Amino acid sequence: MTELRTDRLVLRRWKDSDLEPWAALNADPEVREHLGDLLTRAESDASVARFQADLDRRGFGWWAVEVRATGEFVGFAGLDPVDDGMPFTGVEIGWRLARRAWGRGYATEAARAVLAYGFDTLGLAEILAVTTSANLRSQAVMRRIGMVRDLVGDFDDPAVPAGPLRSSVVFRIVREGPCVAEGVGVAEG
């Protein structure tokens, strides 16, 4: 399975030891503010099983993110095909980090590694990102990694009930040049 390494992070397969901190992350109202309901432990564990199955099956998906220096699990980042029923198709980039990892540049660093993998290894021509219109922190990461807002693509997410989480924005980036990010290593294991 593919593992991505940056100067400070490892994006890797999921471990049993990730289950508890992942569940805590998904039970944190601030982390889930733009994602909807908090997840139960069973729902959180089931998501990890799906993520790992996708990674095993297709070689990409939502990788666990750990800090290289400490081995601390801090969240996830990766690529996933856009869900059926959305008003567009493609491959979406995303991330979710524990609050204690916010403000350190980890989301940007992980996202750059994921972009490089998507463009340089998978050969994708374009990668998109979706978030709620109110999620300014994620939109800032999208801009930092070179994504551009697609104002025409903004939409009301059909999978979300009416309310503040329904209004969604779309960002896009197209492949340019031979390499998106320097200092990113890919290891097959």
Side-chain angles (χ1 to χ4, degrees):
M1 194 204 93
T2 300
E3 183 175 274
L4 308 180
R5 292 181 172 270
T6 70
D7 289 341
R8 300 182 301 158
L9 304 172
V10 178
L11 284 69
R12 55 155 175 81
R13 71 180 295 111
W14 292 79
K15 302 176 185 175
D16 288 342
S17 60
D18 300 331
L19 293 175
E20 186 173 327
W22 177 245
L25 183 154
N26 285 306
D28 183 330
E30 286 188 66
V31 172
R32 300 283 309 171
E33 177 183 6
H34 300 285
L35 300 169
D37 294 335
L38 303 180
L39 299 185
T40 66
R41 175 63 190 257
E43 290 168 331
S44 184
D45 288 357
S47 70
V48 168
R50 285 191 310 275
F51 299 158
Q52 190 56 54
D54 287 343
L55 286 167
D56 291 342
R57 182 173 41 85
R58 62 178 184 231
F60 71 94
W62 303 120
W63 287 280
V65 176
E66 77 175 37
V67 177
R68 284 179 75 165
T70 63
E72 176 188 17
F73 170 86
V74 293
F76 86 171
L79 296 166
D80 199 48
V82 171
D83 292 337
D84 292 337
M86 297 300 269
F88 46 82
T89 59
V91 175
E92 179 181 0
I93 188 172
W95 47 85
R96 187 179 317 156
L97 299 178
R99 253 187 308 138
R100 68 185 180 283
W102 292 2
R104 298 179 185 201
Y106 291 157
T108 301
E109 188 171 328
R112 285 186 176 133
V114 169
L115 282 179
Y117 184 80
F119 288 138
D120 300 339
T121 302
L122 298 178
L124 299 173
E126 177 183 63
I127 296 173
L128 57 94
V130 177
T131 192
T132 64
S133 58
N135 190 348
L136 301 180
R137 291 176 68 95
S138 277
Q139 291 177 47
V141 172
M142 293 168 192
R143 287 185 181 94
R144 279 195 294 276
I145 64 174
M147 300 188 95
V148 177
R149 177 132 174 229
D150 175 6
L151 293 171
V152 175
D154 292 354
F155 69 105
D156 285 340
D157 189 335
V160 176
L165 299 182
R166 191 163 205 192
S167 175
S168 299
V169 296
V170 177
F171 281 71
R172 297 178 184 276
I173 188 170
V174 295
R175 180 187 170 94
E176 292 182 27
C179 185
V180 174
E182 295 182 23
V184 174
V186 176
E188 299 288 336

